[in-house]
Amino acid sequence: MSSTPEEFSPEQLRILDIVNAAGSLLSFAGELFIIGCYFFVPDLRTFPMKLIVSMIFSCLLYTISDVLSYFSVTSDCLCHVEGYLREFARISLVLWIVTITWLSYLQIKKYRPKLHDVYPYLLIGNILLASFPSNLTAYSELQDGSNSIHFGHATNFCAILPIETNIYLVDIPLWTLILITWCYTFKILKKVRLMLDGFSSASDYSSILLYPIILVVCWLPSTLDRVAYFMNDKKPVYSLVLLHIIATRIQGFVNALVYGRNEWHKIKYCYKKWKKMDHSVLSANFLEVNYHRSSGSDLSAKTVSF
């Protein structure tokens, strides 16, 4: 961890390390579960699920930055990588949440069958906006004698420093978006109950509106921790740091639980369908394709449909 012995005792640091490792492992497994389901379950390859997977990929990057916090203590280079990745993932995640809520409202208000065509533009916009604070910090560090904004150790992770700049540049804009999105989420859910009972085309969008609520619950302790650190003469409060780590590290796992609950019937159906397949024929086709490829035959490879 990035905390120093002067800030916390060795026992406290050990507890933070254990919680960080366990939470990161759970989130990593949950995020891989969602991404794997999207690619291996055909019924889940819908536009709403593509938005969810994009959001989960941002969560995965955030989890990777948590893992890097173990190694960034003794390496300034890794601290810069962790800080850049962490800030990018945080902003990208919130932007995907905003996108999901906004598009859900559009689909619920009036169904648009070609809405999926805008995904490339959404992806490019997300990357450009999410990378702006990190790019600005990196540019500031490259300027001779300009070190007002930089990547550095902030309690138990690397981030944009000074912490006041991080709060004004990242936290306040993000929480403004989160609170607006959260309030809007409840309005959308109310409309769903009143207008769209029994419409399967809207059910996908209504179910994914749980993710903004998860985001608020998991991120509130981290913001309280940052504010307390700033207002307490830059001295961390152990209880808030511990709560911060617990809440943020399990977000991917909680997302996986919600995803599994919403999509379990599709996952189960696909598994039963796969189980009933004649795997001996499938293996024979696979071996035949590999044989012709290795022998240089002009026979076209056969496509196996799942």
Side-chain angles (χ1 to χ4, degrees):
M1 305 293 288
S2 302
S3 300
T4 62
E6 290 76 14
E7 293 170 343
F8 298 137
S9 68
E11 184 63 28
Q12 289 175 324
L13 288 174
R14 193 177 302 111
I15 293 174
L16 293 179
D17 282 338
I18 293 173
V19 172
N20 186 22
S24 298
L25 182 62
L26 285 174
S27 281
F28 192 73
E31 288 149 4
L32 290 182
F33 167 75
I34 295 175
I35 294 173
C37 286
Y38 177 80
F39 285 106
F40 290 103
V41 180
D43 291 346
L44 293 178
R45 295 174 198 162
T46 62
F47 180 62
M49 293 302 107
K50 180 182 286 189
L51 297 176
I52 291 297
V53 169
S54 300
M55 180 198 73
I56 294 301
F57 187 76
S58 297
C59 288
L60 183 62
L61 295 179
Y62 194 85
T63 301
I64 292 173
S65 71
D66 291 334
V67 175
L68 288 177
S69 66
Y70 281 101
F71 310 100
S72 62
V73 182
T74 57
S75 173
D76 289 337
C77 180
L78 282 179
C79 183
H80 282 68
V81 173
E82 178 199 342
Y84 190 102
L85 194 61
R86 182 181 299 278
E87 300 299 350
F88 173 84
R90 281 208 303 154
I91 300 170
S92 177
L93 175 57
V94 172
L95 291 177
W96 280 122
I97 289 289
V98 172
T99 301
I100 288 170
T101 306
W102 173 58
L103 293 182
S104 297
Y105 174 76
L106 292 181
Q107 289 296 78
I108 287 170
K109 189 175 181 181
K110 181 180 179 181
Y111 182 69
R112 294 164 173 81
K114 295 185 178 180
L115 193 60
H116 61 275
D117 293 338
V118 304
Y119 179 79
Y121 304 100
L122 295 174
L123 180 61
I124 294 172
N126 184 286
I127 294 174
L128 292 177
L129 290 174
S131 61
F132 175 74
S134 294
N135 289 337
L136 180 64
T137 304
Y139 177 79
S140 176
E141 289 187 319
L142 290 175
Q143 299 304 301
D144 295 334
S146 176
N147 205 25
S148 58
I149 306 176
H150 62 281
F151 292 111
H153 299 292
T155 312
N156 62 308
F157 52 86
C158 290
I160 296 174
L161 296 179
I163 197 67
E164 302 96 312
T165 303
N166 195 309
I167 291 175
Y168 293 131
L169 185 63
V170 181
D171 284 342
I172 291 179
L174 288 188
W175 271 102
T176 301
L177 288 175
I178 289 172
L179 292 178
I180 293 174
T181 302
W182 204 43
C183 295
Y184 218 63
T185 297
F186 288 104
K187 291 183 179 181
I188 296 173
L189 289 174
K190 187 176 181 180
K191 279 183 173 291
V192 170
R193 295 190 188 97
L194 292 176
M195 299 172 55
L196 300 170
D197 185 28
F199 283 79
S200 58
S201 62
S203 62
D204 285 340
Y205 288 92
S206 62
S207 63
I208 65 178
L209 290 174
L210 289 173
Y211 296 100
I213 300 174
I214 295 173
L215 181 70
V216 171
V217 173
C218 290
W219 277 30
L220 185 59
S222 67
T223 301
L224 294 176
D225 177 33
R226 288 171 182 263
V227 173
Y229 179 82
F230 171 63
M231 299 182 66
N232 194 32
D233 297 327
K234 297 184 180 180
K235 295 180 181 179
V237 179
Y238 178 75
S239 58
L240 286 178
V241 173
L242 180 61
L243 188 60
H244 168 184
I245 293 177
I246 292 174
T248 55
R249 297 325 185 251
I250 65 171
Q251 182 182 355
F253 180 70
V254 175
N255 284 334
L257 292 178
V258 173
Y259 184 88
R261 176 185 175 275
N262 290 339
E263 311 300 335
W264 179 247
H265 61 288
K266 296 179 182 178
I267 298 172
K268 188 176 180 180
Y269 171 78
C270 184
Y271 173 74
K272 287 182 177 179
K273 187 177 179 181
W274 175 84
K275 198 173 181 180
K276 291 179 180 179
M277 292 178 62
D278 189 345
H279 296 287
S280 60
V281 175
L282 183 64
S283 299
N285 288 340
F286 178 76
L287 291 174
E288 183 180 354
V289 169
N290 283 340
Y291 169 76
H292 286 292
R293 284 177 178 173
S294 62
S295 62
S297 172
D298 292 334
L299 182 64
S300 300
K302 299 179 181 179
T303 303
V304 180
S305 176
F306 286 85

